[in-house]
Amino acid sequence: GITVIPTRLGVHIMSPRVINPASLATPIGFAHGVLAGGAVYLGGQTAMDADGRIVDGDIVDQFRRALQNVLETLREAGGVPSDLVSVTIYLTDVDEYQRRGRDIGRVWKELVGPWYPAMAGVGVTQLWQREAMVEVQGIAVITPEGRSA
């Protein structure tokens, strides 16, 4: 269960709770997310399907699946896309990501809406799964009402 601890400031802090949606591949050695206080720390997600395989397709297809996986973890924690406060996107091909920026932007708007949190894009030489081109990681803050202001 969740433990609520009163602090000297009168703020209640819940002990961390691991969030591993059944619809995502079973994590080994990590958690898809951790809910601590009102924050949800969303572990890096690639375009992995429920069977642990990277989906077929290009960088836009992989971005879509990776973002869907992040949002699934956020929803499982009780959050919504507008609760995102920070997103980091790791890319094996920054040039291709920039070339497909309009398509990736359409995917973002379809899945998240008009909200843009603080974001960073980071070029990397390789991700954990060699065929992965994109990994999305985030932080969200859920208010007691379940939605950010």
Side-chain angles (χ1 to χ4, degrees), residues 55-92:
V55 298
D56 291 331
D58 62 14
I59 196 165
V60 177
D61 298 320
Q62 285 204 12
F63 176 78
R64 172 184 296 280
R65 183 55 184 251
L67 184 58
Q68 286 172 329
N69 290 347
V70 166
L71 295 174
E72 178 65 22
T73 304
L74 177 57
R75 285 186 191 94
E76 182 85 7
V80 295
S82 62
D83 292 327
L84 288 167
V85 296
S86 178
V87 171
T88 303
I89 303 165
Y90 300 95
L91 308 155
T92 59

